Amino acid sequence: MGDADASAALRERVREARAAGERLCVRGGGTRTAAPDGVAALELGTHRGIVAFEPSELVVTVRAGTPLVELEAVLAQSGQELPFDPPRMGLAATVGGAVATAAAGPARPWRGAARDAVLGVTLLDGHGEIGRFGGAVMKNVAGYDVSRLVAGSRGTLGAILETSLRVLPRPAARCTRVLELGMDHAVETMTALAQRALPLQGLAWVEGFLHVRLGGTEEGVAAAAAVVGGEPLAEEAPFWRALRDLELPALAADVPLWRLSVPGNAPQPTLTADWVLDWAGAQRWCVSAAEPERVLAAAAELGGHARRLRPAPELATDPAPALAQLEARVRAAFDPDGVFAPEDR
């Protein structure tokens, strides 16, 4: 399905950039980040379409420029969905962008991360070569699990051209229960609920209310709802969609927005900020005018890391020295001339 294959033109563009010593920034729908000044965009928006989908196999292969909304509409027709429910910053958000950023929605602790769903990739590297890795295509080479490395690489290893993704059946039933709790009590409650055998698909605290999303069989969801208590949320889908896509009013202030990834039961950082807690407390959205160094230090003190999403440019915790060395070696293998290095490294 779909015949918009622009791989030949994209490969030629990378080869031209390498020969000219030019740097490129991979760009899909343009919904997440802009190319830095003086760096050209490698446009993947026209490289789109579903290459293969057999619902009984629970696997879909799709070109990277395909909008998420198009893929999800096809999956929904077969009663299926992407397990990691990737956020989108607009309707133009693409499958390649979701994999490259490894972004995942509220169900991630229970349904798996983006890299867990990636079975294989077709990658256009800094040499201007196209390699196919993982899944049923070919075994990974040079000791690298390339399909997993690409997830979260943010375009620094090359441009994702295609990816094969594991999909899951949509639950027969879903419901959300809401409990009025202070933030500290909410963290304790989320930790306790996460340790129970409940069909959880979301645990999030927003503006004084804990939201517990359940998904599974009709009987299982009903039994779990009785255990959780609280009140039912009538319009649950819009809430979880707004949380996933960072469109909640609590996150909309014209103030820097940070994502802190910390242990779920970690105490709350001593920052002056407004908070939204997701992933049973392991993902904490922080709206704060505090100095960046203070936010980064607060995340580190709790054994986690932080990334600023707004304003641009993004800031993030430096990787550990050993990890930074490993990343440098991997990038040198795939992009020795730094074609896909829009920032100095």
Side-chain angles (χ1 to χ4, degrees), residues 28-329:
T31 61
R32 298 180 185 273
T33 57
D37 292 340
V39 177
L42 181 68
E43 301 283 358
L44 269 76
T46 59
H47 185 67
R48 58 196 293 172
I50 295 176
V51 177
F53 176 45
E54 178 54 55
S56 63
E57 299 296 328
L58 295 177
V59 175
V60 62
T61 299
V62 59
R63 295 191 181 105
T66 306
L68 282 167
V69 292
E70 291 186 10
L71 173 59
E72 291 181 334
V74 172
L75 296 178
Q77 292 175 0
S78 297
Q80 297 175 357
E81 62 188 9
L82 294 172
F84 61 105
D85 192 19
R88 59 278 271 131
M89 303 299 116
L91 293 178
T94 63
V95 175
V99 173
T101 58
R108 183 247 187 266
W110 303 277
R111 305 266 282 181
R115 61 174 44 91
D116 298 325
V118 178
L119 302 176
V121 295
T122 298
L123 184 71
L124 172 60
D125 66 19
H127 299 272
E129 300 294 337
I130 296 176
R132 296 173 174 83
F133 306 96
V137 185
M138 67 176 282
K139 298 183 70 67
N140 291 314
V141 298
Y144 300 123
D145 186 351
V146 177
S147 58
R148 293 177 67 85
L149 287 174
V150 167
S153 64
R154 306 179 74 84
T156 59
L157 297 182
I160 300 169
L161 296 183
E162 287 181 12
T163 182
S164 295
L165 298 168
R166 176 176 60 91
V167 300
L168 291 177
R170 302 182 72 174
R174 277 193 175 119
C175 80
T176 297
R177 308 294 294 189
V178 181
L179 297 83
E180 187 171 4
L181 296 174
M183 184 161 51
D184 291 339
H185 190 193
V187 171
E188 296 174 359
T189 302
M190 285 191 289
T191 301
L193 289 173
Q195 295 173 345
R196 303 192 61 170
L198 297 171
L200 293 169
Q201 292 197 354
L203 278 174
W205 180 87
V206 181
E207 296 184 307
F209 291 91
L210 175 61
H211 297 72
V212 183
R213 181 168 62 173
L214 305 165
T217 64
E218 295 278 359
E219 298 81 1
V221 168
V227 172
V228 172
E231 298 295 326
L233 180 63
E235 298 293 329
E236 65 158 1
F239 168 80
W240 293 105
R241 188 162 51 244
L243 172 61
R244 180 198 67 193
D245 297 344
L246 304 182
E247 295 177 348
L248 290 174
L251 301 174
D254 188 19
V255 178
L257 173 65
W258 294 82
R259 174 189 178 270
L260 274 65
S261 179
V262 299
N265 60 354
Q268 196 62 14
T270 55
L271 290 170
T272 301
D274 293 325
W275 295 92
V276 169
L277 277 55
D278 197 5
W279 294 4
Q283 177 168 260
R284 303 187 187 186
W285 298 103
C286 172
V287 180
S288 176
E291 291 295 321
E293 295 77 10
R294 179 71 190 92
V295 181
L296 293 169
E301 290 168 3
L302 298 178
H305 53 86
R307 178 178 293 275
R308 188 182 71 184
L309 278 72
R310 68 167 190 247
E314 292 189 358
L315 296 176
T317 303
D318 291 331
L323 179 59
Q325 293 174 8
L326 175 60
E327 290 178 348
R329 290 199 299 270

Side-chain angles (χ1 to χ4, degrees), residues 22-27 32-43 154-156 312-314 338-344:
E22 184 183 6
R23 290 184 172 186
L24 298 174
C25 179
V26 181
R27 185 179 187 272
R32 298 180 185 273
T33 57
D37 292 340
V39 177
L42 181 68
E43 301 283 358
R154 306 179 74 84
T156 59
E314 292 189 358
V339 174
F340 292 105
E343 299 175 1
D344 289 336

